[in-house]
């Protein structure tokens, strides 16, 4: 279904190189993500410190607005290259870690690694929106999800195997090599960036992305839906091992099977999201994905392996729908001058609840039955999806009432009601030249 558009994305030299860089850097990141916890556990014997490695990489998400502001004030292509090279050099220092006394260096590197990820995501979102045609943004973002999730299926196993054979420093050097290779790929991007506007007050710079989201009738509900979905995803993640043990009666290793099936679902949706978003309004698509995710989480109250596998695949399919729809809307609706900040702020608003829910859920699972938590999370997700979908109906009704002609003779195409499909925003809020997908990709509007 998505073949022609996917081929157009891959044939575009800029988009193809972006995706190549994502695949390369994603492999190293996924390998390091798993291995860091194993490494810290082996050096210190502490489960708490091992778990803290994930928190160290997530913590910089809270600094998203500041990091996004930086991405809006420098040459983004150079930023991609220089940050990847800096991380390559930083990762090499992990060869010095050989005992519990030097394990602090792992945490320093992981925090900086997380910060670089937020910064690179902001710069990449802005560059992509300026070079990939608006009609192909959803296809590109879907392929990016497929690439990331595909690496999560392969890289952790490779990293664990490398760690078992050669130790943590070998995985760090592998990750450093992937960062250096990604820098080389990004250096070959053919992009032309618009001149940067003068820097304003620092506080205003940090809040520009948040103001943009709050003022947009398109972005505000999507970002809120993304935050709600990631909050529930955190609860779901926190109860995974309890679900495997208490509900399914399986050993902890079975969680790896469920994660693999979930990853396969995410790989699949990444290939389909472009065509689906061309047929459905973003809010409807996001609401459908959220509802599927919620139903799958609620299904985890049932003690059947078949249901468990189907639910994991549905979670992997539904969860990215909300995130991809939101980030595609951010890229399309936001002017280039504040796109880095807006993308990073949206990412922070959607990601932070996940980290909070993981921590809270870890405490709740000790005192509340897992089936109660999954049922409650599923019901909350369905309610949120219904509210998001209801907003589409209200907007259509409001649009029809405000655009209805006073008399038959006064009717004009410009004042007519929105198209039945609802696949495009109102003309006043959509950048010029994006109302109809062109036959071939070309330069995107300066205000994607």
């Amino acid at each position: 279904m998505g073949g022609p558009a996917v081929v157009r994305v891959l044939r575009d030299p800029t988009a193809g190189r972006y995706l190549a860089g994502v695949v390369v850097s994603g492999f190293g990141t996924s390998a390091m993500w798993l291995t860091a916890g194993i490494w810290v556990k082996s050096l210190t014997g502490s489960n708490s410190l091992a778990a803290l490695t994930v928190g160290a990489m997530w913590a910089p998400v809270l600094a998203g607005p500041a990091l996004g502001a930086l991405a809006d004030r420098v040459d983004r292509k150079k930023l991609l290259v220089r940050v990847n090279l800096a991380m390559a050099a930083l990762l090499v220092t992990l060869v010095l870690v050989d005992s519990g006394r030097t394990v602090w260096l792992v945490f320093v590197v992981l925090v900086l690694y997380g910060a670089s990820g937020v910064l690179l995501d902001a710069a990449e979102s802005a560059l992509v929106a300026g070079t990939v045609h608006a009609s192909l943004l959803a296809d590109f973002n879907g392929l990016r999800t497929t690439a990331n999730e595909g690496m999560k299926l392969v890289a952790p196993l490779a990293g664990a195997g490398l760690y078992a054979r050669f130790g943590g420093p070998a995985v760090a050097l592998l990750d450093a090599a992937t960062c250096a290779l990604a820098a080389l790929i990004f250096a070959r991007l053919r992009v032309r960036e618009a001149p940067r506007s003068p820097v304003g007050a620092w506080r205003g710079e940090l809040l520009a992305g948040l103001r943009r989201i709050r003022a947009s009738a398109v972005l505000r509900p999507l970002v809120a839906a993304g935050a709600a979905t990631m909050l529930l995803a955190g609860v779901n993640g926190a109860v995974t091992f309890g679900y495997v043990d208490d509900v399914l009666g399986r050993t902890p290793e079975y969680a790896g099977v469920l994660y693999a099936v979930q990853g396969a679902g995410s790989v699949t949706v990444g290939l389909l999201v472009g065509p689906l978003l061309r047929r459905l309004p973003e809010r409807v698509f996001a609401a459908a994905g959220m509802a599927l995710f919620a139903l799958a989480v609620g299904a985890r109250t049932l003690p059947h392996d078949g249901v468990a596998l189907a639910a994991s695949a549905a979670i992997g399919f539904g969860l990215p729908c909300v995130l991809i729809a939101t980030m595609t809307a951010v890229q399309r609706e936001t002017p280039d001058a504040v796109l880095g900040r807006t993308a990073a702020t949206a990412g922070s608003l959607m990601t932070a609840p996940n980290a909070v829910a993981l921590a809270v859920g870890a405490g709740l699972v000790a005192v509340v039955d897992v089936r109660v938590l999954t049922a409650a999370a599923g019901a909350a997700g369905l309610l949120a999806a219904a509210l998001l979908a209801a907003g589409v109906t209200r907007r259509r009704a409001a649009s029809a009432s405000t655009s209805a002609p006073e008399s038959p003779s006064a009717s004009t195409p410009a004042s007519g009601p929105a198209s039945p499909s609802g696949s495009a925003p109102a003309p006043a809020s959509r950048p010029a030249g994006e109302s109809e997908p062109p036959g071939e990709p070309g330069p995107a509007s300066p205000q994607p």
Side-chain angles (χ1 to χ4, degrees):
M1 178 167 61
V6 169
V7 170
R8 286 165 63 191
V9 172
L10 295 176
R11 283 181 176 174
D12 182 273
T14 300
R17 285 174 185 154
Y18 273 127
L19 290 172
V22 167
V23 169
V24 169
S25 60
F27 183 89
T29 299
S30 297
M32 191 65 191
W33 187 284
L34 172 67
T35 305
I38 300 173
W39 194 3
V40 169
K41 166 68 175 177
S42 67
L43 291 175
T44 66
S46 171
N47 289 322
S48 298
L49 287 177
L52 193 58
T53 58
V54 177
M57 294 186 75
W58 276 89
V61 168
L62 300 176
L67 295 169
L70 177 59
D72 282 334
R73 291 306 174 202
V74 299
D75 184 294
R76 290 163 179 155
K77 174 183 171 180
K78 291 180 180 177
L79 184 67
L80 291 177
V81 174
R82 291 171 180 174
V83 170
N84 272 290
L85 289 176
M87 284 311 306
L90 194 61
L91 285 162
V92 171
T93 66
L94 292 182
V95 300
L96 301 175
V97 177
D98 59 0
S99 67
R101 289 176 299 178
T102 53
V103 77
W104 62 269
L105 185 57
V106 175
F107 288 97
V108 171
V109 171
L110 291 178
V111 170
L112 294 175
Y113 203 136
S116 73
V118 176
L119 184 58
L120 291 175
D121 282 347
E124 181 186 296
S125 293
L127 272 179
V128 166
T131 54
V132 175
H133 198 280
S135 66
L136 298 177
L137 279 176
D139 296 280
F140 176 89
N141 290 330
L143 287 175
R144 189 182 189 280
T145 297
T146 294
N148 274 330
E149 295 301 324
M151 290 303 99
K152 290 178 183 178
L153 293 177
V154 177
L157 295 176
L162 189 63
Y163 175 84
R165 181 68 178 85
F166 299 105
V171 181
L173 291 176
L174 170 66
D175 198 3
T178 62
C179 286
L181 182 55
L184 179 62
I185 294 171
F186 290 136
R188 300 184 64 227
L189 290 174
R190 295 200 296 262
V191 295
R192 183 178 300 171
E193 298 189 61
R196 297 282 173 262
S197 57
V199 178
W202 182 242
R203 182 178 179 183
E205 293 289 300
L206 294 181
L207 296 179
L210 181 61
R211 287 197 300 267
R212 184 75 189 178
I213 293 169
R214 290 182 60 186
S216 172
V218 175
L219 301 183
R220 187 174 61 252
L222 285 171
V223 172
T229 304
M230 292 302 288
L231 179 73
L232 298 176
V235 175
N236 177 64
V239 305
T240 294
F241 287 101
Y243 166 67
V244 169
D245 184 16
D246 299 339
V247 179
L248 298 179
R250 291 276 193 164
T251 61
E253 289 78 10
Y254 191 68
V257 176
L258 298 183
Y259 280 128
V261 173
Q262 180 175 325
S266 297
V267 168
T268 303
V269 77
L271 298 174
L272 301 176
V273 66
L276 290 173
L277 273 176
R278 278 190 286 275
R279 290 164 172 78
L280 296 171
E282 283 155 347
R283 285 177 67 165
V284 172
F285 178 75
M290 194 174 188
L292 178 62
F293 165 77
L295 286 171
V297 172
R300 288 189 157 184
T301 58
L302 303 176
H304 303 292
D305 286 346
V307 172
L309 295 172
S312 293
I315 288 170
F317 194 99
L319 178 59
C321 292
V322 187
L323 306 181
I324 295 173
T326 301
M327 295 313 296
T328 300
V330 167
Q331 290 170 321
R332 192 195 65 239
E333 296 285 331
T334 309
D336 178 78
V338 294
L339 183 48
R341 276 163 285 180
T342 306
T345 301
S348 294
L349 291 173
M350 292 189 294
T351 307
N354 183 261
V356 173
L358 280 169
V360 175
L364 286 176
V365 76
V367 295
V368 180
D369 189 285
V370 167
R371 285 163 290 197
V372 172
L373 293 175
T374 54
L382 287 174
L383 176 61
L387 292 174
L388 184 62
V392 177
T393 304
R394 290 195 298 270
R395 287 189 66 195
R396 285 179 176 173
S399 176
S401 64
T402 57
S403 61
E406 294 182 3
S407 65
S409 61
S411 177
T412 64
S415 62
S419 64
S421 68
S423 59
S429 65
R430 188 179 184 92
E434 292 183 22
S435 58
E436 293 292 335
E440 297 295 333
S445 164
Q447 184 174 325

